[in-house]
Amino acid sequence: MDKYIISGGRRLEGSVGIQTAKNAVLPILAAAVLTDEPVRVLNVPDITDVRNMVKILACLGCGAEYVGNDIIVNGSTADSCEIPRALAHELRSSVFLLGSVISRFRRAKIAYPGGCDIGLRPVDLHLAGLKRLGVGITESNGYILCECDRLTGNEIMLDCPSVGATENIMLAAVKAEGVTVIKNAAREPEIEDVQNFLNALGARVRGAGSGTIRIDGVKKLGGAEYQPIADRIEAGTFAIAVAMCGGEAELVGANAENISSLLHKLRENGCKLRVKNDRIFIRSDRRPVAVKSVETQPYPGFPTDLQAQMTALCTVCSGNSIVTENLFETRFKYVPELRRMGADITVVDRSAFVRGVERLRGATTVAHDLRGGAALVVAALAAEGESEVLGIEHIDRGYAAFEYKLAGLGAKIKRVGI
Ligand code: UD1
């Protein structure tokens, strides 16, 4: 177990490279099970969620190895359709494997998934979608058992635009007989990326990025070498850190379009932003001005995965803000930790009422989930004096070399063993 020790109050200056998107890499690795041909996923971030996904692929009998920064998956040797409890609990994305495993073996046995403890996170929409494709589902003893003789395309209407359910149904449908149409599909950029990857393998998927996705089943898929999109949440986290600490930075390899909801807010905060190709330049020269309200919504709305970091920023703005979380029930667990640093936040139901204070002060805090943990680090960077952030194994799930990248921008942050 490690912790971060951070000396706050320094401006952030310089250039930082943005990693490949965790939330694109995970379903793409899951999709590699669909083909017997080798798949090479390029520039994969070295994060625990990806390492766990590689372990799960190995457990299914796939070849999965790191070659430099890439991962090569060889699905031809896959011989198991079961994901044991210990692994599934480590990683919620194991549930994305339902679609590809059932497609491959006509059978899947997966323990209920884990992942960040940020709310109920049901999988009812995933299962209802698979049922529409002809899958029989039973649940017993903490396991989901899926079986079918064949998968048949169908029209599926999602009750809400779930990212995971959309991806899972896409993976199950690519090799189904006939046409599948997903309505009220999630529109996140990572879903379009999964579509592009599947099509690179020879699938026939279109419409991702809109609310309706059409999948024409194909018999066989080939191999591919694929570079997934940039991590918009990592880019957003660095942008918020600069806004909060003050300074001037360049985010290299970022996609501004994919975080335009955040960039609009940062402009309202008073930050200067400029975008050139895959670079976002951000400058913050004075105390940020409070944005009145931030509400998380499915894409293209404000991402729930940047809610905690944005709330951290609101704590030091001049003025008051209301941050409302509409997607997950318990995504304010970091709030008591920010209060230890002098933040003035009151949570009522799904909203955090934040009164901006001049300065946060260093304190010892504990991360309880991935994005909440990132918010505590960002707050500590801006705070006066020294902070410790514990529970950073949560942060390691999603941010590669976080402390090195921040140190590269001039932050004083080090990882020490406990
Ligand atoms: C994905 C992302 C996660 C992000 C989230 C929302 C990955 C690996 N994770 O998670 O980082 O925070 O999208 O952008 O890509 N829901 C149901 N029933 C279901 C499925 C979902 O009610 O069967 C609800 C959830 O409780 C939640 C909402 O739908 O309220 C959105 O969840 P969903 O989009 O499915 O999130 P994930 O795919 O788990």
Side-chain angles (χ1 to χ4, degrees):
M1 288 261 217
D2 293 340
K3 65 181 177 185
Y4 282 140
I5 299 180
I6 297 167
S7 274
R10 296 162 76 98
R11 283 167 66 82
L12 299 182
E13 314 243 323
S15 178
V16 61
I18 298 306
Q19 71 187 25
T20 301
K22 163 176 101 67
N23 287 353
V25 169
L26 293 173
I28 284 171
L29 288 174
V33 177
L34 292 167
T35 176
D36 280 338
E37 304 285 328
V39 164
R40 185 171 187 137
V41 187
L42 305 176
N43 297 309
V44 171
D46 187 9
I47 52 179
T48 332
D49 269 9
V50 168
R51 287 185 172 268
N52 283 329
M53 182 56 111
V54 166
K55 278 191 211 158
I56 294 177
L57 291 172
C59 172
L60 295 173
C62 298
E65 53 166 349
Y66 286 86
V67 178
N69 295 328
D70 306 341
I71 291 179
I72 300 180
V73 182
N74 186 341
S76 66
T77 50
D79 59 1
S80 166
C81 63
E82 183 172 337
I83 298 178
R85 204 181 302 264
L87 275 179
H89 278 197
E90 294 278 318
L91 181 71
R92 183 176 163 82
S93 299
S94 50
V95 77
F96 296 136
L97 280 151
L98 259 186
S100 48
V101 171
I102 188 81
S103 166
R104 171 115 199 181
F105 296 104
R106 300 288 181 261
R107 202 181 134 78
K109 182 177 175 190
I110 296 188
Y112 262 103
C116 266
D117 178 17
I118 54 175
L120 290 171
R121 303 193 85 158
V123 290
D124 54 319
L125 301 176
H126 301 240
L127 302 185
L130 293 175
K131 273 188 195 153
R132 296 274 299 161
L133 300 179
V135 179
I137 295 171
T138 46
E139 297 172 51
S140 89
N141 212 4
Y143 276 88
I144 305 168
L145 288 160
C146 299
E147 262 173 319
C148 64
D149 294 329
R150 58 194 184 135
L151 289 160
T152 315
N154 207 339
E155 185 174 297
I156 294 162
M157 167 65 96
L158 293 177
D159 285 344
C160 75
S162 155
V163 173
T166 303
E167 291 168 342
N168 225 339
I169 297 164
M170 283 165 80
L171 299 196
V174 274
K175 285 165 76 182
E177 282 168 36
V179 180
T180 300
V181 177
I182 310 173
K183 293 198 164 161
N184 198 25
R187 291 182 286 161
E188 269 67 4
E190 291 76 17
I191 292 184
E192 204 173 337
D193 208 34
V194 172
Q195 164 181 282
N196 293 342
F197 169 71
L198 291 170
N199 288 344
L201 298 181
R204 291 174 63 205
V205 186
R206 55 195 153 93
S210 79
T212 304
I213 299 175
R214 179 187 160 113
I215 302 141
D216 288 83
V218 296
K219 288 225 151 41
K220 204 171 155 21
L221 295 173
E225 192 172 287
Y226 193 77
Q227 171 62 61
I229 57 172
D231 197 313
R232 62 197 167 100
I233 305 303
E234 191 208 21
T237 304
F238 283 119
I240 290 171
V242 174
M244 197 167 170
C245 296
E248 189 167 11
E250 179 189 30
L251 314 179
V252 181
N255 183 323
E257 180 62 32
N258 289 349
I259 43 166
S260 59
S261 58
L262 169 71
L263 301 185
H264 280 297
K265 291 292 174 197
L266 293 177
R267 284 199 177 94
E268 277 182 53
N269 285 129
C271 295
K272 299 275 179 291
L273 283 146
R274 199 158 53 81
V275 176
K276 198 171 174 211
N277 304 324
D278 69 344
R279 284 162 195 250
I280 302 174
F281 300 87
I282 173 161
R283 208 175 82 214
S284 166
D285 292 326
R286 48 198 169 81
R287 186 176 173 198
V289 182
V291 290
K292 292 239 155 10
S293 106
V294 179
E295 280 213 29
T296 65
Q297 298 289 354
Y299 190 84
F302 193 91
T304 173
D305 286 353
L306 286 172
Q307 179 262 106
Q309 303 89 314
M310 191 66 192
T311 306
L313 171 60
C314 293
T315 65
V316 294
C317 287
S318 55
N320 304 335
S321 315
I322 303 174
V323 182
T324 302
E325 172 58 54
N326 289 311
L327 272 81
F328 294 108
E329 298 82 5
T330 56
R331 228 177 179 179
F332 285 125
K333 283 195 177 162
Y334 63 88
V335 165
E337 308 296 322
L338 285 181
R339 280 206 206 104
R340 284 178 216 256
M341 306 180 77
D344 184 346
I345 311 176
T346 310
V347 176
V348 181
D349 297 330
R350 284 171 169 259
S351 294
F353 295 81
V354 188
R355 273 171 204 274
V357 296
E358 190 85 36
R359 220 57 220 269
L360 296 178
R361 50 175 194 274
T364 297
T365 59
V366 184
H368 298 290
D369 60 66
L370 166 58
R371 306 304 172 184
L376 297 179
V377 170
V378 169
L381 293 173
E384 218 160 68
E386 195 168 278
S387 293
E388 290 193 0
V389 182
L390 309 178
I392 63 174
E393 63 278 7
H394 292 290
I395 301 173
D396 293 335
R397 285 190 35 224
Y399 294 86
F402 199 34
E403 67 271 25
Y404 293 105
K405 287 185 171 186
L406 289 166
L409 293 174
K412 261 191 111 180
I413 173 168
K414 64 177 181 204
R415 174 188 289 259
V416 296
I418 296 177

